Amino acid sequence: MMTHGSFAVPYKVVFCLTMAFLIGCVAAQPVTQPVVSKRAQMHMGTLVTLTVVAPDTSVSEQAMRAGFNEIKRLEQLLSTWRPDTELSLVNAEAGRRAVKVSQETLELVIRSLDMANLTHGGFNIALGPAVQAWNVTERQHVPDDRELQKLKPLVDWTSIQVNRVAQTIFLPRKGMRIDIGGIGKGYAADRAVAEMRRAGAIGGVVALSGDIKTFGMLPEGNGFPVGIQHPRREGELIAIVELKDEAISTAGDYERFFVQDGVRYHHILSPQTLQPVRVCQSVTIIAKEGVVADGLDTGIFVLGPEEGMALVESLPGVEAIIIDAEGTMTVSSGLRDRLRTP
Ligand code: AMP
Ligand code: MG
């Protein structure tokens, strides 16, 4: 039987073997830099770009797939331009019956109504009939104002009936129509981030055009730089901000619009007049959750620079850049030191 004592190894040899083993361990352990990859696809009628920071390419691939699949799933569940989704059924049954929906759809509608409360009705998911009458991207025409005014009784978000117990949504008047275009992309960004994380991503960005959510950081330890678009000079940025575990959303009158007789008609409507809102050129909101950033950008665009910025300053963890109708930029107090010039 061989024991330590019976096998005398010179001290120097032990030292050398130990060092060789240690060096071998270090050498065998590859110095793994996280991989960063980026991919774009069209979903929800917009360009969706995913950036993934992952320990290796196989995790990166899985996270990419998980992110895009989640966005595709939500398009199936929530879109109101496809006839076969839960929300389309709720709209089709307006004035007739309450429709049973998934817990997820119910929660999103409840979050949307919270945003409506927070913005004193500036954000309004009941604007569907007016959004349809304008149909800014498809038909470039100005609807007759008397026709628009007839829609007023149908855009009352306070009349939407949500039953948590029965898990149903009821629109009490025929012709009412939920439109979640003002919040859906922010929600999709939140959900895609959750799925990418679950698939093993350690950082990344989900960008559905101007609705963006970041998580973790870049391999060098920096946050993700996001550029904020100049509302009147296409392709030019007004500022850059670095984000870590934050969402950013911009609502702008330059995103979807047409010009007729020198007047710009765009896609964000006043719940009062049902006309495009004229008090801002763009509103950018930073918040922890995409659903908050997206709901607030639209709602604050409607409230306007003064009331909107007062609301932002009252909300913890929410920051804003508001560009008013004349092009003057106001930045919330917590964001001023974080902006970089492009
Ligand atoms: P966003 O780019 O986030 O401001 O969303 C704009 C979209 O929200 C529009 O295309 C409409 O579908 C919808 N929308 C328009 N006006 C409002 C409003 N006042 N409140 C809620 N959603 C709106
Ligand atoms: Mg929005």
Side-chain angles (χ1 to χ4, degrees):
M1 193 176 138
M2 206 164 74
T3 64
H4 268 308
S6 68
F7 192 63
V9 183
Y11 167 77
K12 262 192 187 167
V13 174
V14 173
F15 177 77
C16 288
L17 284 174
T18 310
M19 282 313 286
F21 175 72
L22 285 179
I23 291 165
C25 278
V26 172
Q29 218 167 39
V31 187
T32 46
Q33 257 306 88
V35 290
V36 182
S37 32
K38 196 170 176 172
R39 205 165 296 161
Q41 291 179 6
M42 287 298 291
H43 295 293
M44 292 185 159
T46 198
L47 188 70
V48 180
T49 312
L50 302 188
T51 306
V52 171
V53 183
D56 58 52
T57 47
S58 128
V59 172
S60 176
E61 279 302 314
Q62 281 170 35
M64 279 289 178
R65 216 170 309 124
F68 282 122
N69 281 346
E70 182 62 0
I71 288 165
K72 281 188 255 178
R73 184 186 72 82
L74 290 173
E75 190 168 13
Q76 298 272 354
L77 184 75
L78 300 171
S79 110
T80 43
W81 59 90
R82 304 163 60 120
D84 54 344
T85 67
E86 284 190 355
L87 280 179
S88 291
L89 191 58
V90 169
N91 289 341
E93 294 296 334
R96 278 206 287 261
R97 67 175 180 101
V99 174
K100 179 140 176 119
V101 294
S102 60
Q103 189 62 32
E104 186 172 19
T105 300
L106 197 79
E107 290 297 334
L108 182 59
V109 169
I110 291 170
R111 295 293 306 265
S112 302
L113 297 175
D114 291 345
M115 287 296 142
N117 266 310
L118 197 62
T119 58
H120 318 296
F123 180 78
N124 180 347
I125 52 163
L127 274 177
V131 171
Q132 222 176 18
W134 278 94
N135 203 352
V136 167
T137 12
E138 306 292 312
R139 267 181 297 144
Q140 308 226 322
H141 85 122
V142 179
D144 181 81
D145 197 48
R146 270 172 316 175
E147 293 301 314
L148 276 180
Q149 291 316 311
K150 282 191 200 150
L151 301 177
K152 276 294 293 247
L154 303 178
V155 302
D156 175 14
W157 61 274
T158 63
S159 73
I160 297 176
Q161 293 174 25
V162 175
N163 186 327
R164 280 179 189 268
V165 180
Q167 219 173 294
T168 57
I169 303 173
F170 179 44
L171 305 180
R173 290 188 201 101
K174 192 168 181 294
M176 280 183 82
R177 194 182 155 83
I178 287 179
D179 178 302
I180 54 138
I183 199 167
K185 293 196 188 103
Y187 175 70
D190 284 338
R191 284 297 317 138
V193 162
E195 290 306 313
M196 284 155 74
R197 268 206 156 115
R198 219 153 65 102
I202 50 178
V205 183
V206 174
L208 293 99
S209 156
D211 299 300
I212 297 166
K213 168 126 172 178
T214 69
F215 66 106
M217 51 196 151
L218 282 164
E220 312 80 52
N222 299 324
F224 295 91
V226 177
I228 296 146
Q229 169 69 40
H230 191 298
R232 289 293 176 269
R233 297 189 211 131
E234 210 185 325
E236 196 176 306
L237 301 180
I238 49 163
I240 295 172
V241 62
E242 209 172 272
L243 301 180
K244 277 185 186 167
D245 293 311
E246 283 171 307
I248 188 167
S249 264
T250 297
D253 68 0
Y254 59 88
E255 288 176 311
R256 268 177 269 158
F257 72 97
F258 63 91
V259 177
Q260 191 172 299
D261 302 325
V263 180
R264 176 187 292 256
Y265 295 97
H266 65 88
H267 67 141
I268 303 165
L269 302 178
S270 155
Q272 260 72 49
T273 64
L274 307 189
Q275 296 283 336
V277 180
R278 302 267 169 232
V279 282
C280 294
Q281 291 180 357
S282 77
V283 172
T284 299
I285 301 287
I286 295 176
K288 280 275 163 221
E289 287 182 283
V291 78
V292 172
D294 196 8
L296 283 180
D297 70 359
T298 316
I300 285 176
F301 194 103
V302 174
L303 290 184
E306 283 88 34
E307 200 184 340
M309 195 53 93
L311 175 61
V312 167
E313 294 289 3
S314 76
L315 298 172
V318 176
E319 303 295 343
I321 301 172
I322 300 181
I323 302 186
D324 71 12
E326 279 70 49
T328 307
M329 176 164 108
T330 321
V331 180
S332 62
S333 52
L335 191 58
R336 280 173 212 148
D337 295 339
R338 291 177 57 189
L339 291 186
R340 276 197 280 130
T341 43

